[in-house]
């Protein structure tokens, strides 16, 4: 009987827990579906922390048009099914007014239909959905993938004698797009792609791919994709004794620092302006980064500001849209975002339009390397 | 003499009462499952979608239960069949403009063909070897979904998959989906119950008990194992297709190892080898994370702790609660 009672109590407790989750709201609610666990945890935790920081910052100044901001974060475990559940929960139970979601592209795509039906705008850290009716309600704060590729190809063209390159990429949507761009545009920079190899997010050794690219004549490797595999690739290059450069994608500096320790001056990475803040000239960009970095560093110390900066920008963009629209209603805020141009963010200037929901139209990215353990602009 | 007859009569009545109580308790888990679905349907909110996912998984796990619970085999590769059917349904409806019903039927047919081709040689294996072979099938299907980008769009996934519907009528509301899925899951569980008590089901049980003994009884073991594998694949295929039409999107992650882990958890928590176990397990396991959502960073820890408690106090699954009762009555 005790066993039955225990199971009964558990079931009753569980039922009570999920029955009582509804919430009424006065504040303007921002929903975040983020991969707080899973393969994008590093990025999405930084993104959601920055969104909360920006909300606190604005709340301290009186909120947006007198309304306080409340942030609701749900972990999508970096999986599409969990993302759908998290979005639906925030739409129906939390009744959020807008989404500022993380970089799990598949999750954002899977849930986009529900978000569109609820007539809520989505400001994302991921690439944009491809369905036209979904795209209408989605905006992204990240640079177009080609910017990351071009900054590397241009450096190789302008500053080195290298003519042959190899590409390694993971099969994520963002990295796959970058791979395709590199393949198509390398010739415009006087470079030849001699080989393209794929790896998995959790691959423990990339020697085979790197050796193959070297045997095909590659003098430098462009790595598309984030995560611990960057360090794996660096270690493999060193272990194999190869004289090659490695140029990687945008990434958290904490992940890249050990890579710099392994490869030294043969390692380059794409950096957002906030990551090379010290080296930036005075101006509107640096002033905007300063606005963000002060509270960020006060709360999180020297934690990397790359993904976080764009989360901060997302909230500031929404504030601008609401003020322009003089309304908190989803459709009006969506229309207003579409009309925002010349918006100075921490990554660059955002110019949205009905045809362009990827606001960064001018390449704001730099190529950087570590000098004495500090990220500096590549010379 | 009369006293002896009265005692026998009383004993018979007590046994009868205990038997009917036990039968009543055997229905209890299923009744709880149905009650949760009804409560969610009336209450609405996002839990409608969560329970809808639970019902899709209930179908998937019911198939797995036929193969593992009734027939005593092991398969870690059912996700492959869900993926084949799901992708086929998605591609046929989005790329070729097929209707949902024919695309879904085609998906299940393709699943059966693949299951037949794969199952025929693979089912000659036993135990760990069969487990490894089926695991490989799941991994291969996942890799194909990732790499065959011209068809599957890789990790970009396929969006714009039409909702469930037939003859121009589409189910667009969450409640509509829940009602339809409840009906399909009910039919699926009902079909499994019929199989369980049929000649086929008895043959499966005999195979699960001892393949040699079953063979000695004249049962064609290889044939029944393959049949069980095909039925389980059909259930998985149906679940895979329903999923893509309910969500409107498919990408490889949907059918990854996560699906296998979840299905096994549902099967063992619900009660392997029982009729209502897959339904109860699927609904409870899909709802558990939601009950602990407010725990934030400790959500997974609470989920794991409850799973351990469930397996300690109901080692044969929630559907075997009647055994606990009868154990108490005997004790």
């Amino acid at each position: 009987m005790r066993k039955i009672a225990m199971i009964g109590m558990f079931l009753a407790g569980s039922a009570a827990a999920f029955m009582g989750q509804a919430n009424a709201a006065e504040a303007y609610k921002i929903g975040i579906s983020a991969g707080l666990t899973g393969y994008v945890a590093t990025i999405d935790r930084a993104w959601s922390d920055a969104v909360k920081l920006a909300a606190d910052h604005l709340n301290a100044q009186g909120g947006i048009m007198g309304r306080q901001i409340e942030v609701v974060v749900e972990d999508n475990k970096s999986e599409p099914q969990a993302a759908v559940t998290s979005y639906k929960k925030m739409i129906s139970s939390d009744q959020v007014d807008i989404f500022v979601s993380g970089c799990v592209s598949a999750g954002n795509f899977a849930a986009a239909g529900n978000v569109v039906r609820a007539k809520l705008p989505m400001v994302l850290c991921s690439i944009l959905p491809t369905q036209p009716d979904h795209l209408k309600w989605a905006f992204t704060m990240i640079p177009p993938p080609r910017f990351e590729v071009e900054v590397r190809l241009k450096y190789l063209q302008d500053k080195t004698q290298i003519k042959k390159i190899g590409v390694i990429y993971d099969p994520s949507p963002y990295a796959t797009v970058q791979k395709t761009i590199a393949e198509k545009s390398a010739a415009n920079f006087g470079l030849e792609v001699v080989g393209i190899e794929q790896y998995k997010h959790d691959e423990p050794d990339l020697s085979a791919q790197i050796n193959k690219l070297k045997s095909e004549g590659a003098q430098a490797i462009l790595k598309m994709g984030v995560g611990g595999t960057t360090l794996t690739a660096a270690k493999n290059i060193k272990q194999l004794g190869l004289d090659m450069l490695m140029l990687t994608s945008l990434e958290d500096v904490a992940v890249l620092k050990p890579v710099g320790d392994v490869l030294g001056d043969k390692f380059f990475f794409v950096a957002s302006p906030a990551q090379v803040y010290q080296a930036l000239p005075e101006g509107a960009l640096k002033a905007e980064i300063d606005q963000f970095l002060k509270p960020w560093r006060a709360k999180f110390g020297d934690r990397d500001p790359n993904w976080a900066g764009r989360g901060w920008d997302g909230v500031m963009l929404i504030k601008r849209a609401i003020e322009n629209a003089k309304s908190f209603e989803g459709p009006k805020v969506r229309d207003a975002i579409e009309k925002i141009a010349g918006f100075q963010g921490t990554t660059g200037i955002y110019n949205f339009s009905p045809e362009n929901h990827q606001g960064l139209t001018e390449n704001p990215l730099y190529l950087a390397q570590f000098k004495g353990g500090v990220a500096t602009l590549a010379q | 003499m009369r006293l002896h007859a009265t005692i026998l009569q009383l004993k018979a009545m007590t046994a009868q009462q205990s038997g009917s109580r036990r039968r009543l308790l055997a229905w209890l888990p299923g009744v709880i499952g149905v009650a949760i679905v009804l409560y969610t349907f009336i209450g609405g909110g996002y839990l409608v979608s969560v329970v809808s996912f639970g019902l899709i998984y209930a179908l998937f796990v019911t198939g797995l239960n036929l193969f593992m619970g009734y027939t005593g085999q092991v398969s870690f590769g059912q996700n492959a069949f869900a993926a084949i059917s799901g992708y086929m349904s998605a591609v046929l409806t989005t790329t070729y403009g097929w209707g949902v019903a024919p695309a879904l039927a085609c998906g299940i047919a393709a699943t059966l063909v693949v299951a037949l081709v794969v199952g025929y040689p693979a089912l000659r294996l036993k135990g760990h070897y069969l487990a490894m072979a089926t695991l490989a099938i799941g991994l291969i299907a996942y890799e194909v979904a990732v790499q065959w980008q011209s068809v599957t769009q890789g990790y970009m996934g396929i969006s714009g998959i039409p909702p469930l519907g037939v003859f121009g009528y589409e189910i667009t509301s969450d409640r509509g989906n829940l009602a339809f899925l409840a009906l399909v899951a009910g039919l699926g569980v009902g079909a499994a119950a019929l199989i369980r008590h049929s000649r086929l089901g008895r043959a499966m049980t005999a195979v699960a008990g001892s393949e040699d003994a079953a063979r000695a009884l004249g049962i064609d073991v290889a044939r029944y194992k393959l049949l069980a594998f095909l039925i389980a694949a059909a259930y998985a295929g149906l679940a895979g297709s329903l999923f893509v039409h309910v969500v409107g999107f498919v990408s490889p992650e949907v059918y990854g190892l996560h699906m296998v882990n979840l299905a096994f958890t549902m099967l063992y928590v619900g009660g392997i080898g029982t009729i209502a176990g897959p339904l109860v397990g699927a609904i409870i396991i899909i709802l558990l994370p939601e009950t602990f959502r407010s725990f934030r960073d400790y959500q997974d820890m609470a989920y794991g702790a409850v799973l351990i408690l469930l397996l300690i106090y109901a080692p044969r699954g929630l559907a075997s609660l009647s055994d606990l009762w009868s154990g108490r009555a005997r004790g």
Side-chain angles (χ1 to χ4, degrees), chain A residues 18-19 73-74 88 171 198, chain B residues 39 49 147 155 293 296:
Chain A
F18 83 75
M19 280 175 199
V73 190
E74 291 297 345
K88 287 199 168 186
Q198 197 188 73
Chain B
Y39 169 78
S49 306
Q147 301 295 340
Y155 280 116
R293 213 172 248 287
R296 298 278 158 203

Side-chain angles (χ1 to χ4, degrees), chain B residues 152-165:
Chain B
T152 65
Q153 317 283 326
Y155 280 116
M156 287 289 281
I158 301 172
S159 356
I161 302 167
L164 291 166

Side-chain angles (χ1 to χ4, degrees), chain A residues 347-358:
Chain A
T347 303
I349 295 172
Y350 289 86
N351 296 300
F352 291 101
S353 72
E355 294 77 34
N356 178 25
H357 283 202
Q358 184 143 34

